[in-house]
Amino acid sequence: MTRLFAIFICMLLTSPVFAAKPSGLSKPQAQPELYRLKNPVQQVQELLKSQGFYQGKTDGLMGADLKQAIRLYQKKHGLKQTGKISDDLIKHMANIGRVQALIKKLDPIRTNRQQQARQALLSDPRTRQLLDQKEKETADPTRDASTCFQAPTARCLIHEAVESSRAVFEDDMRDWALGEILAAQVRVGLENDAMKTAARIKDSRLVIAALTTIAKTHVREGQLEEARSALSLIPVMERRLSVLLDIASYYQSRNQTKLLRHTVTKILAGAQSLDHIENSLTIQIQAIELLALIDKKRALEMLDKMTLQAEASAKNGSKFTLIRQIANAMAHIGYPEWALKTIGKMPDDETRIPILMAAARAFLKAKRFKAAHNTIERISSKRYRSVILSDMAQALWQHQQNGKAFDILDEALIIAKATPLPFARNFALSHVAQSYMIIAKETQKQAHGDLAYHTLSLISDERIKARGLWNLAYAASHQQLKLSTQNLDKNAHQTLNNIKSKFSRAWLIGDLVALHQNSGDHKQARKAFEIGMATIKTLTNPWARSRVLAKFGALAHRLD
């Protein structure tokens, strides 16, 4: 999904505003490397011209036309409309220019893949109708959603998601939302509506992805006959195999070994027919890992041979990715030493860390704590070392090695606090807090619950902190652990309200609803659902609104 990948980069570099394009913009030109020029006015002129905002002279002089072009640029990207030049603005423009250059470079590949996807869909009369003339997307400005919000049901929420998506004017962003809407439709039993939603998707590649989503959703819901029916519509072998992997995983989780073996054999045969060796090996690795339930030794032999095949056949970048996948699979099926043998083949710490983490977790599962600790010591990243030490503390606690568990967890906390990057530090702290909370539930000691709360208080990201505090407050209110802190429930709600993005807040609340549903606490799930609905009412961005409504529609189905 080349275009969506580029949009994702753009979202990381800029403010997340998804508005319609301002009118009066000319076609973007090639992006020059002019952010190195000394004259900032000329830099801005060249950057704006390359992106279609400015048509005047590039003379380094500030004028009314240039100020207006700057305001147009700032408006499109959700920036304060000052019409003034700053270093931050120049960097912003340069980043956007790089994204546009990437899109232009990848456009021929994108177009070719779209054409291939279109031909694949046209080859089957059943999917050909999905490519019929697309209707013009028109939002209904008079629509009143208040009735649905007063008494929300799965059907009306998903209907509102569909209607909101009509106000998303960027094809890529609308296709993104439609993919999530159709998944919700399948979950609540609206498959005919899901097919209509798939037909609204513009990009042929994403139509195929939508068909795949329908099949995978049926598997997750345990509806295998429906999944196989949807599978037959998918025209691309690689996509069909991804659904079969989900089906095989379903059989594995239920110890249906005969059906598992049959499905894995089918996947391996299909994977070998793929043109791209990297894609073929990736699917085979996943299938072999599932096969380990039946025959671990045979699975290990196959993975070992595959290492040689990856080294011989794949390109450098793909080769290391494949070897890492093979090593992780070896660790997952219980052979961490074999996984560690591949470390020497990896070019840097970044590619070695996932293997070390997988091996350490395999040692912990086998109660080989010394080997696990030695492996953890080889992890150079503070964030990931702290995370795995937290896992080790939990494993030690479960095996009555309580003193060592707290020593290891204290070490994890020290490393987490010393992690330099804020996001990485918050990520590690949340894992340490989770481990303290698990232990506090076992001991019912107030001091241990307070350690969990104290660790959460060190987190600076409101979303991560809110999730942790909500879980802690829930555990405390259900007498699962003890705390000295008063008004924890109020604190959790306040942290939730501190999340600036209403979309992020609503999305997180949806996750909490699912958490309570999965734990069987429908009363708490309903309470969180109502809080989420209050937030959704205030969402005005149609892209964000349609996605969250689809999510809450699927959640409402389970509440009912």
Side-chain angles (χ1 to χ4, degrees):
M1 297 182 197
T2 303
R3 185 80 173 184
L4 287 179
F5 171 70
I7 289 171
F8 175 69
I9 295 173
C10 186
M11 289 166 62
L12 293 178
L13 299 174
T14 66
S15 299
V17 176
F18 305 103
K21 294 182 181 179
S23 59
L25 304 186
S26 61
K27 186 178 180 180
Q29 302 171 19
Q31 169 62 29
E33 298 256 345
L34 290 170
Y35 21 87
R36 298 195 184 98
L37 296 175
K38 293 181 180 180
N39 185 331
V41 177
Q42 190 174 0
Q43 290 182 56
V44 170
Q45 287 173 330
E46 292 288 353
L47 287 164
L48 287 174
K49 179 172 280 193
S50 70
Q51 296 177 41
F53 288 89
Y54 177 68
Q55 298 302 308
K57 296 180 180 179
T58 54
D59 52 11
L61 301 177
M62 194 71 176
D65 288 349
L66 180 58
K67 289 181 181 178
Q68 179 60 21
I70 293 172
R71 290 192 186 95
L72 270 176
Y73 178 90
Q74 290 169 327
K75 179 180 179 182
K76 178 183 178 182
H77 295 290
L79 307 175
K80 187 176 180 180
Q81 298 173 48
T82 63
K84 296 180 180 179
I85 295 173
S86 67
D87 287 343
D88 286 343
L89 181 66
I90 293 174
K91 290 177 182 176
H92 192 284
M93 290 178 176
N95 285 333
I96 292 295
R98 292 188 188 101
V99 172
Q100 289 187 348
L102 173 62
I103 291 172
K104 184 174 181 179
K105 182 178 180 181
L106 295 176
D107 260 346
I109 299 173
R110 173 176 178 258
T111 301
N112 181 54
R113 289 179 178 172
Q114 283 180 329
Q115 290 173 347
Q116 290 177 347
R118 181 176 177 80
Q119 290 303 315
L121 290 167
L122 288 171
S123 66
D124 188 332
R126 296 174 299 168
T127 55
R128 192 177 302 153
Q129 60 184 329
L130 298 175
L131 298 178
D132 289 345
Q133 185 66 36
K134 306 288 184 181
E135 65 181 63
K136 185 177 180 180
E137 299 289 344
T138 306
D140 180 4
T142 65
R143 193 180 83 261
D144 182 7
S146 60
T147 302
C148 178
F149 281 16
Q150 288 169 4
T153 64
R155 283 178 176 268
C156 83
L157 289 172
I158 292 174
H159 175 72
E160 286 302 322
V162 170
E163 291 302 317
S164 291
S165 71
R166 297 187 189 281
V168 182
F169 300 114
E170 291 279 358
D171 288 348
D172 289 322
M173 305 309 294
R174 185 175 56 255
D175 286 351
W176 183 343
L178 291 174
E180 295 182 0
I181 289 171
L182 69 85
Q185 288 169 327
V186 174
R187 286 193 184 101
V188 305
L190 302 174
E191 181 152 354
N192 289 336
D193 289 348
M195 291 301 290
K196 291 177 183 177
T197 300
R200 288 178 58 203
I201 295 174
K202 304 286 186 182
D203 190 328
S204 298
R205 296 169 304 164
L206 298 183
V207 173
I208 294 174
L211 295 172
T212 308
T213 298
I214 291 172
K216 284 175 169 284
T217 303
H218 279 309
V219 177
R220 284 195 295 272
E221 297 297 318
Q223 301 162 349
L224 295 195
E225 287 304 315
E226 292 86 345
R228 291 189 185 93
S229 178
L231 176 65
S232 70
L233 294 175
I234 301 172
V236 177
M237 173 61 79
E238 189 176 343
R239 291 281 186 175
R240 291 201 297 272
L241 292 174
S242 72
V243 177
L244 286 173
L245 281 167
D246 282 9
I247 292 174
S249 181
Y250 176 89
Y251 290 141
Q252 184 197 46
S253 67
R254 286 156 179 79
N255 288 318
Q256 295 176 295
T257 56
K258 186 176 180 179
L259 289 170
L260 172 60
R261 186 187 296 275
H262 173 75
T263 307
V264 167
T265 301
K266 191 173 181 179
I267 293 168
L268 291 173
Q272 290 170 5
S273 71
L274 296 178
D275 293 333
H276 297 288
I277 184 66
E278 293 87 356
N279 297 343
S280 172
L281 291 179
T282 294
I283 291 172
Q284 289 182 64
I285 292 165
Q286 295 174 66
I288 292 168
E289 188 174 341
L290 291 170
L291 187 64
L293 175 68
I294 302 169
D295 190 343
K296 282 178 61 174
K297 186 175 179 181
R298 174 61 179 154
L300 177 63
E301 291 172 354
M302 294 172 73
L303 288 170
D304 190 38
K305 289 180 180 178
M306 203 164 286
T307 305
L308 300 175
Q309 191 176 354
E311 288 182 290
S313 306
K315 298 176 182 177
N316 271 343
S318 301
K319 175 176 73 176
F320 298 130
T321 300
L322 288 168
I323 293 174
R324 186 188 71 230
Q325 290 174 354
I326 292 167
N328 287 346
M330 288 175 169
H332 293 160
I333 67 175
Y335 294 99
E337 289 94 348
W338 284 75
L340 292 174
K341 288 179 182 179
T342 67
I343 288 288
K345 303 177 188 294
M346 308 309 285
D348 51 40
D349 280 351
E350 184 178 350
T351 53
R352 286 190 282 268
I353 287 172
I355 298 173
L356 291 168
M357 292 180 71
R361 285 190 168 120
F363 283 130
L364 290 175
K365 187 176 180 180
K367 306 177 190 178
R368 298 173 58 186
F369 298 120
K370 184 176 181 181
H373 197 269
N374 290 340
T375 305
I376 293 169
E377 288 298 306
R378 298 170 65 181
I379 298 174
S380 59
S381 164
K382 289 181 178 178
R383 168 181 30 171
Y384 292 120
R385 190 157 73 249
S386 174
V387 167
I388 299 298
L389 283 171
S390 298
D391 291 348
M392 184 172 181
Q394 290 182 43
L396 287 166
W397 183 267
Q398 289 168 3
H399 293 90
Q400 287 73 51
Q401 298 188 36
N402 299 357
K404 287 184 179 179
F406 273 106
D407 289 343
I408 291 293
L409 201 48
D410 289 344
E411 181 185 353
L413 179 58
I414 292 170
I415 294 171
K417 291 194 288 188
T419 301
L421 295 176
F423 176 78
R425 182 169 59 254
N426 291 328
F427 178 81
L429 286 169
S430 68
H431 276 73
V432 176
Q434 177 68 16
S435 294
Y436 277 130
M437 189 164 71
I438 289 171
I439 291 174
K441 289 180 180 180
E442 292 286 334
T443 64
Q444 287 294 305
K445 290 185 177 179
Q446 183 175 290
H448 297 159
D450 288 346
L451 282 170
Y453 178 76
H454 169 71
T455 306
L456 288 172
S457 70
L458 300 174
I459 296 173
S460 59
D461 186 292
E462 298 290 352
R463 290 168 296 183
I464 298 175
K465 182 189 289 187
R467 184 188 294 272
L469 287 175
W470 186 284
N471 291 339
L472 192 64
Y474 173 79
S477 66
H478 286 69
Q479 287 78 49
Q480 295 176 2
L481 53 75
K482 295 179 180 179
L483 288 163
S484 62
T485 306
Q486 301 297 318
N487 299 320
L488 181 58
D489 190 62
K490 183 179 179 181
N491 191 357
H493 279 80
Q494 184 58 53
T495 306
L496 193 64
N497 290 331
N498 288 342
I499 299 173
K500 293 181 180 179
S501 166
K502 294 177 182 178
F503 169 72
S504 296
R505 192 189 315 156
W507 198 266
L508 173 58
I509 295 170
D511 290 342
L512 295 173
V513 174
L515 180 71
H516 294 314
Q517 287 177 333
N518 293 336
S519 66
D521 191 336
H522 299 293
K523 182 179 178 180
Q524 195 72 12
R526 173 62 68 179
K527 179 182 176 181
F529 183 87
E530 291 170 358
I531 294 171
M533 287 303 303
T535 302
I536 294 172
K537 288 179 185 178
T538 67
L539 279 173
T540 56
N541 182 297
W543 177 78
R545 185 180 172 93
S546 62
R547 292 184 63 207
V548 175
L549 282 168
K551 181 170 187 170
F552 272 71
L555 292 169
H557 179 66
R558 291 186 62 190
L559 284 175
D560 294 340

